[in-house]
Amino acid sequence: MRVVVAGGAGFLGSHLTDALLERGDEVVVVDDFVTGSPDNVAHLSSHDGFELVEQDVTRPFEIDGPIDAVMNLASPASPKDYHQMPLETLAVGSTGTRNLLELALGADARFFMASTSEVYGDPHVHPQTESYWGNVNPIGERSMYDEAKRFSEALTFAYHRTCSLPVRVVRIFNTYGPRMQVDDGRVVSNFIVQGLRGEPLTIYGDGSQTRSFCYVEDEVRGFLALLDSDVVGPVNIGNPGEFTMLELAEIVTELTGSDAGIVFEPLPADDPKQRRPDITIATEQLGWAPEVDLRTGLERTIPYFAGVLGDVVG
Ligand code: NAD
Ligand code: UDP
């Protein structure tokens, strides 16, 4: 297959690109590097099947040649990033998604939409099933991201219903691993970087809120299972292991050998209190389940950040 990966120079997109190339597909990464970096795909520059196009997908663009699949991962994803870029986040979720849907339609390709557990907002149903419609504040501090993704899903289903476009929609739950930016701002990278630097880990609120963390390799394996299937979705792909932020801080403190402790900072507005995927559909219809538990995934991720920080210091 020849696959266009929008957002392919980001954290998840670059791992997805690696996996597609590894199995023999060709990949065209389309990215404007607003939160990603060409460094994330620099190791692929001499690969015959790899092409990198610098492009903002909210602007008109064309890709020459046949395309079999368009995968839309383009969007700021860290709360820190989408708070700094609210208009860009809404634009990429609306105009950007529409441009990529048109690209898929014109090329007779299937379309893959990277949505998010944030469509469930601060959920009243726990764990979250795909049939739950969510509890999102439409004008709140996270609305530029949550509503952009909800709109992307609606747009994707409108193309599916009116144009018979083959689509796949994944709802991604908190994923972590190598190639997250040191200043990404999400909790796993923040805690690891703070632990390695000997700084106190910053817990927002009282640390009783929960998240379910998926290692990047498991997540990408789920993407490919969905892409290759006939399942339209939406499908939750995430690790159902659920941890409070206090528990996460404890594990990262131990694994980084930090002795700086923790500090409590204010909880951001509308921060979801709990999050855990119900993965029945992924398990039964895709034969997918995560394999890497949190401790193992952190043990694989910490050396990456130690290397980056070592380079920065050195
Ligand atoms: P990331 O910020 O590392 O990657 C996003 C990529 O999209 C970056 O390379 C960025 O430069 C690119 N991009 C943003 N706007 C663009 C535009 N207008 N045109 C072209 N490229 C653009 O984040 P990530 O964690 O790799 O997330 C990838 C996707 O997965 C996002 O759509 C995100 O919403 C979704 N997602 C991620 C998680 C997670 O835990 N990592 C959870 C839920 C959903
Ligand atoms: N969080 C925290 N300390 C940090 C960064 C985040 O306690 O340094 C909390 C945040 O308030 C949220 C959880 O960790 O409750 C996950 O935050 P993240 O930004 O990683 O993802 P999201 O909120 O989008 O799930």
Side-chain angles (χ1 to χ4, degrees):
M1 291 207 297
R2 185 161 183 260
V3 184
V4 171
V5 180
F11 159 55
L12 281 178
S14 63
H15 285 280
L16 171 63
T17 298
D18 283 345
L20 287 164
L21 289 170
E22 230 158 76
R23 70 181 203 171
D25 293 332
E26 292 174 31
V27 180
V28 183
V29 164
V30 180
D31 202 300
D32 67 353
F33 311 131
V34 67
T35 56
S37 164
D39 293 349
N40 286 334
V41 287
H43 61 289
L44 301 171
S45 57
S46 59
H47 195 297
D48 282 346
F50 175 74
E51 204 181 317
L52 178 59
V53 177
E54 182 171 358
Q55 173 69 48
D56 175 351
V57 296
T58 67
R59 304 262 168 203
F61 68 98
E62 286 172 13
I63 302 288
D64 292 334
I67 302 169
D68 300 291
V70 175
M71 302 184 75
N72 180 17
L73 281 79
S75 171
S78 163
K80 187 194 114 213
D81 290 334
Y82 60 71
H83 284 133
Q84 281 169 3
M85 293 180 280
L87 299 180
E88 292 85 345
T89 304
L90 285 158
V92 76
S94 51
T95 311
T97 297
R98 183 153 193 178
N99 286 342
L100 291 161
L101 282 159
E102 285 292 334
L103 181 69
L105 192 63
D108 213 3
R110 81 188 70 160
F111 180 80
F112 178 101
M113 178 65 216
S115 185
T116 170
S117 53
E118 285 283 328
V119 301
Y120 303 122
D122 190 5
H124 291 155
V125 169
H126 193 75
Q128 291 78 57
T129 52
E130 291 86 345
S131 57
Y132 177 49
W133 292 354
N135 174 39
V136 172
N137 177 350
I139 57 164
E141 299 272 335
R142 301 169 83 99
S143 60
M144 71 292 278
Y145 181 70
D146 299 9
E147 296 294 10
K149 289 291 183 181
R150 288 168 71 96
F151 185 79
S152 283
E153 287 198 14
L155 206 51
T156 301
F157 273 82
Y159 271 77
H160 179 56
R161 291 191 181 112
T162 59
C163 312
S164 302
L165 182 71
V167 303
R168 314 281 183 267
V169 177
V170 62
R171 290 185 179 151
I172 305 166
F173 283 65
N174 299 63
T175 302
Y176 67 97
R179 294 191 203 145
M180 294 182 90
Q181 306 285 323
V182 165
D183 62 353
D184 178 281
R186 284 176 278 189
V187 69
V188 174
S189 48
N190 269 10
F191 281 3
I192 291 176
V193 168
Q194 290 159 347
L196 290 171
R197 284 181 171 154
E199 297 167 359
L201 275 55
T202 52
I203 289 189
Y204 302 162
D206 64 7
S208 64
Q209 71 272 35
T210 67
R211 293 294 186 273
S212 299
F213 298 103
C214 190
Y215 188 62
V216 62
E217 262 176 39
D218 280 337
E219 190 68 41
V220 165
R221 194 165 42 78
F223 292 177
L224 296 184
L226 177 60
L227 177 71
D228 294 342
S229 76
D230 292 326
V231 177
V232 167
V235 181
N236 291 337
I237 297 286
N239 190 322
E242 184 180 0
F243 298 84
T244 66
M245 295 312 100
L246 279 168
E247 288 169 333
L248 177 68
E250 217 169 275
I251 304 173
V252 173
T253 297
E254 179 200 325
L255 294 180
T256 56
S258 166
D259 55 9
I262 55 178
V263 287
F264 291 94
E265 294 188 359
L267 187 68
D270 295 336
D271 199 282
K273 285 176 217 43
Q274 54 181 0
R275 184 179 292 154
R276 172 153 61 102
D278 181 312
I279 59 166
T280 309
I281 293 182
T283 308
E284 289 181 355
Q285 297 187 26
L286 304 178
W288 176 87
E291 289 169 1
V292 181
D293 65 20
L294 180 60
R295 179 172 282 272
T296 308
L298 291 171
E299 282 168 352
R300 293 185 191 173
T301 306
I302 289 168
Y304 167 79
F305 280 103
V308 173
L309 293 177
D311 284 351
V312 171
V313 172

Coordinates of all heavy atoms in Angstrom, one line a residue, residues 88-127:
E88 N -5.8 27.1 15.6 CA -5.1 26.1 14.7 C -5.7 24.7 15.0 O -5.8 23.9 14.1 CB -3.6 26.1 15.0 CG -2.8 27.3 14.6 CD -2.8 28.4 15.6 OE1 -3.7 28.4 16.6 OE2 -2.0 29.3 15.5
T89 N -6.0 24.4 16.3 CA -6.5 23.1 16.6 C -7.9 22.9 16.0 O -8.2 21.8 15.5 CB -6.5 22.9 18.2 OG1 -5.2 23.1 18.7 CG2 -7.0 21.5 18.6
L90 N -8.7 23.9 16.1 CA -10.0 23.8 15.5 C -10.0 23.7 14.0 O -10.7 23.0 13.4 CB -10.9 25.0 16.0 CG -11.4 24.9 17.4 CD1 -11.7 26.3 18.0 CD2 -12.6 24.0 17.5
A91 N -9.0 24.5 13.4 CA -8.8 24.5 12.0 C -8.4 23.1 11.5 O -8.9 22.6 10.5 CB -7.8 25.5 11.5
V92 N -7.4 22.5 12.2 CA -6.9 21.2 11.7 C -8.0 20.1 11.9 O -8.1 19.2 11.0 CB -5.6 20.8 12.3 CG1 -5.7 20.3 13.7 CG2 -4.9 19.8 11.4
G93 N -8.8 20.2 12.9 CA -9.9 19.2 13.1 C -11.0 19.4 12.1 O -11.8 18.4 11.9
S94 N -11.2 20.6 11.6 CA -12.3 20.8 10.6 C -11.8 20.9 9.2 O -11.9 19.9 8.5 CB -13.0 22.1 11.0 OG -12.1 23.2 11.2
T95 N -11.2 22.0 8.8 CA -10.7 22.1 7.4 C -9.6 21.1 7.1 O -9.6 20.5 6.0 CB -10.1 23.5 7.2 OG1 -11.0 24.5 7.7 CG2 -9.8 23.8 5.8
G96 N -8.7 20.8 8.0 CA -7.6 19.8 7.8 C -8.2 18.5 7.6 O -7.8 17.8 6.6
T97 N -9.2 18.1 8.4 CA -9.8 16.7 8.2 C -10.5 16.7 6.9 O -10.5 15.7 6.2 CB -10.7 16.4 9.4 OG1 -9.9 16.4 10.6 CG2 -11.5 15.1 9.3
R98 N -11.2 17.8 6.6 CA -12.0 17.8 5.3 C -11.1 17.6 4.1 O -11.3 16.9 3.2 CB -12.8 19.1 5.2 CG -13.7 19.0 4.0 CD -14.9 19.8 4.0 NE -15.7 19.5 2.9 CZ -16.9 19.9 2.6 NH1 -17.4 20.8 3.5 NH2 -17.6 19.6 1.6
N99 N -9.9 18.4 4.1 CA -9.0 18.3 3.0 C -8.5 16.8 2.9 O -8.3 16.3 1.8 CB -7.8 19.2 3.2 CG -8.2 20.7 3.0 OD1 -9.2 21.0 2.4 ND2 -7.4 21.6 3.5
L100 N -8.2 16.2 4.0 CA -7.7 14.8 3.9 C -8.8 13.8 3.5 O -8.5 12.8 2.8 CB -7.1 14.4 5.3 CG -5.8 15.2 5.6 CD1 -5.5 15.2 7.1 CD2 -4.6 14.7 4.8
L101 N -10.0 14.1 3.9 CA -11.1 13.2 3.4 C -11.3 13.4 1.9 O -11.5 12.4 1.2 CB -12.5 13.7 4.1 CG -12.6 13.1 5.6 CD1 -13.6 14.0 6.3 CD2 -13.1 11.7 5.5
E102 N -11.2 14.6 1.4 CA -11.3 14.8 -0.1 C -10.1 14.1 -0.8 O -10.3 13.6 -1.9 CB -11.2 16.4 -0.4 CG -12.5 17.1 -0.1 CD -13.7 16.7 -1.0 OE1 -13.4 16.2 -2.1 OE2 -14.9 16.7 -0.5
L103 N -8.9 14.2 -0.2 CA -7.8 13.5 -0.7 C -8.1 12.0 -0.9 O -7.8 11.4 -1.9 CB -6.5 13.7 0.1 CG -5.2 13.1 -0.4 CD1 -4.7 13.8 -1.6 CD2 -4.1 13.2 0.7
A104 N -8.6 11.4 0.2 CA -8.9 10.0 0.2 C -10.0 9.7 -0.9 O -9.9 8.7 -1.7 CB -9.4 9.5 1.5
L105 N -11.0 10.5 -0.9 CA -12.1 10.3 -1.9 C -11.6 10.4 -3.3 O -11.9 9.5 -4.1 CB -13.2 11.4 -1.6 CG -14.6 11.2 -2.3 CD1 -15.2 10.0 -1.8 CD2 -15.4 12.4 -2.0
G106 N -10.8 11.4 -3.6 CA -10.3 11.6 -5.0 C -9.4 10.5 -5.4 O -9.3 10.1 -6.6
A107 N -8.7 9.9 -4.4 CA -7.7 8.8 -4.8 C -8.3 7.4 -4.6 O -7.6 6.4 -4.8 CB -6.5 8.9 -3.8
D108 N -9.6 7.3 -4.2 CA -10.2 6.0 -4.0 C -9.5 5.3 -2.9 O -9.3 4.0 -3.0 CB -10.2 5.2 -5.3 CG -11.4 4.3 -5.5 OD1 -12.3 4.4 -4.6 OD2 -11.4 3.6 -6.5
A109 N -9.2 6.0 -1.9 CA -8.4 5.4 -0.8 C -9.3 5.3 0.5 O -10.3 6.0 0.6 CB -7.2 6.3 -0.5
R110 N -8.9 4.4 1.4 CA -9.6 4.4 2.7 C -9.0 5.5 3.6 O -7.9 5.9 3.5 CB -9.5 3.0 3.3 CG -8.3 2.7 4.1 CD -8.3 1.2 4.5 NE -8.1 0.4 3.3 CZ -7.7 -0.9 3.4 NH1 -7.4 -1.5 4.5 NH2 -7.5 -1.6 2.3
F111 N -9.9 6.0 4.5 CA -9.5 7.1 5.4 C -9.5 6.6 6.8 O -10.5 6.0 7.3 CB -10.6 8.2 5.2 CG -10.3 9.4 6.1 CD1 -9.3 10.3 5.7 CD2 -11.0 9.6 7.3 CE1 -9.0 11.4 6.5 CE2 -10.7 10.7 8.1 CZ -9.7 11.6 7.7
F112 N -8.5 6.9 7.6 CA -8.3 6.5 9.0 C -8.2 7.8 9.8 O -7.4 8.6 9.6 CB -7.0 5.7 9.1 CG -6.7 5.3 10.5 CD1 -6.9 4.0 10.9 CD2 -6.0 6.1 11.4 CE1 -6.5 3.5 12.1 CE2 -5.7 5.7 12.6 CZ -5.9 4.4 13.0
M113 N -9.2 7.9 10.8 CA -9.2 9.1 11.6 C -8.7 8.8 13.0 O -9.3 7.9 13.7 CB -10.7 9.6 11.7 CG -10.9 10.8 12.6 SD -10.0 12.3 11.9 CE -9.5 13.1 13.4
A114 N -7.7 9.5 13.4 CA -7.2 9.4 14.8 C -8.0 10.3 15.7 O -7.7 11.5 15.8 CB -5.7 9.7 14.9
S115 N -9.0 9.7 16.4 CA -9.8 10.5 17.3 C -9.2 10.2 18.7 O -8.1 9.7 18.9 CB -11.3 10.1 17.2 OG -12.0 10.9 18.1
T116 N -10.0 10.5 19.7 CA -9.4 10.5 21.1 C -10.5 10.1 22.2 O -11.7 10.4 22.0 CB -8.9 11.9 21.4 OG1 -8.5 12.0 22.8 CG2 -9.9 13.0 21.1
S117 N -10.0 9.7 23.3 CA -10.8 9.4 24.4 C -11.4 10.7 25.0 O -12.4 10.7 25.7 CB -10.0 8.8 25.5 OG -8.8 9.5 25.8
E118 N -10.8 11.9 24.5 CA -11.4 13.2 25.0 C -12.8 13.4 24.4 O -13.5 14.3 24.9 CB -10.5 14.3 24.5 CG -9.2 14.5 25.2 CD -9.3 15.1 26.6 OE1 -10.2 16.0 26.7 OE2 -8.6 14.8 27.5
V119 N -13.2 12.7 23.4 CA -14.6 12.8 23.0 C -15.6 12.4 24.1 O -16.7 12.8 24.1 CB -15.0 12.1 21.7 CG1 -14.1 12.5 20.5 CG2 -14.9 10.6 21.9
Y120 N -15.1 11.6 25.1 CA -15.9 11.3 26.2 C -15.9 12.4 27.3 O -16.7 12.2 28.3 CB -15.5 9.9 26.8 CG -15.5 8.8 25.9 CD1 -14.3 8.1 25.6 CD2 -16.6 8.4 25.2 CE1 -14.3 7.0 24.7 CE2 -16.6 7.4 24.3 CZ -15.4 6.7 24.0 OH -15.4 5.6 23.1
G121 N -15.0 13.4 27.2 CA -15.0 14.5 28.2 C -14.7 13.9 29.6 O -13.8 13.1 29.7
D122 N -15.4 14.5 30.6 CA -15.3 14.1 31.9 C -16.4 13.0 32.1 O -17.5 13.3 32.4 CB -15.5 15.3 32.9 CG -15.1 14.9 34.3 OD1 -14.7 13.8 34.6 OD2 -15.4 15.8 35.2
P123 N -16.0 11.7 31.9 CA -17.1 10.7 31.6 C -17.9 10.3 32.9 O -17.4 10.1 33.9 CB -16.3 9.5 31.1 CG -14.9 9.7 31.7 CD -14.7 11.2 31.9
H124 N -19.2 10.1 32.6 CA -20.1 9.6 33.6 C -20.2 8.1 33.5 O -20.9 7.5 34.4 CB -21.5 10.3 33.5 CG -21.4 11.7 33.9 ND1 -22.3 12.7 33.5 CD2 -20.6 12.4 34.7 CE1 -22.0 13.8 34.0 NE2 -21.0 13.7 34.7
V125 N -19.8 7.5 32.4 CA -19.8 6.1 32.2 C -18.4 5.6 32.4 O -17.4 6.1 31.7 CB -20.3 5.7 30.8 CG1 -20.1 4.2 30.5 CG2 -21.8 6.1 30.7
H126 N -18.2 4.6 33.2 CA -16.8 4.1 33.5 C -16.8 2.6 33.6 O -17.6 2.0 34.3 CB -16.3 4.7 34.8 CG -14.8 4.6 35.0 ND1 -13.9 5.3 34.3 CD2 -14.1 3.8 35.8 CE1 -12.7 4.9 34.6 NE2 -12.8 4.0 35.6
P127 N -15.9 1.9 32.9 CA -15.0 2.4 31.8 C -15.8 2.9 30.6 O -17.0 2.6 30.5 CB -14.2 1.1 31.5 CG -15.0 0.0 31.9 CD -15.8 0.4 33.0

